[in-house]
Amino acid sequence: MPEQFHSKGTKKAAPSDRVARSSLPRWVVSALRTSGIRRFSTLARLDDREVLAIPGIGKRALSLIRMEMNALASPAPQERPDQQEAKT
């Protein structure tokens, strides 16, 4: 049986690479998608100057995009050891 259907514990889904599933404001997502950018992996290859060249993206949007990318890159919080012992 696939791992996501096991009843013994739940597995959290990996954060989505898709811009539309992020917490970015709708106007930022719209500007990116209009320019053909649908994934953060695409944005990661662009420097700040290139992102600012996207119509509708200014310094504020760039800041929001970089914060979202940093949040996605941060590792998920680990369980505390006392929580793991309680499960066993």
Side-chain angles (χ1 to χ4, degrees):
M1 190 179 283
E3 223 175 272
Q4 68 261 26
F5 296 114
H6 283 252
S7 59
K8 291 182 180 182
T10 58
K11 211 172 187 195
K12 290 190 177 189
S16 177
D17 182 42
R18 299 185 70 159
V19 171
R21 292 191 178 183
S22 71
S23 62
L24 289 173
R26 179 172 260 161
W27 61 272
V28 175
V29 172
S30 179
L32 293 172
R33 293 187 62 164
T34 299
S35 295
I37 297 173
R38 293 178 172 16
R39 297 192 172 274
F40 284 106
S41 55
T42 304
L43 278 169
R45 294 189 299 262
L46 304 177
D47 63 24
D48 289 353
R49 184 180 39 82
E50 293 169 316
V51 175
L52 288 169
I54 298 169
I57 300 296
K59 289 180 181 180
R60 180 174 171 225
L62 175 63
S63 175
L64 294 170
I65 290 166
R66 295 303 186 208
M67 284 191 303
E68 184 73 15
M69 290 175 70
N70 287 336
L72 288 173
S74 298
Q78 298 294 319
E79 286 186 355
R80 295 188 333 235
D82 60 324
Q83 289 176 329
Q84 290 175 348
E85 290 173 13
K87 290 182 178 180
T88 58

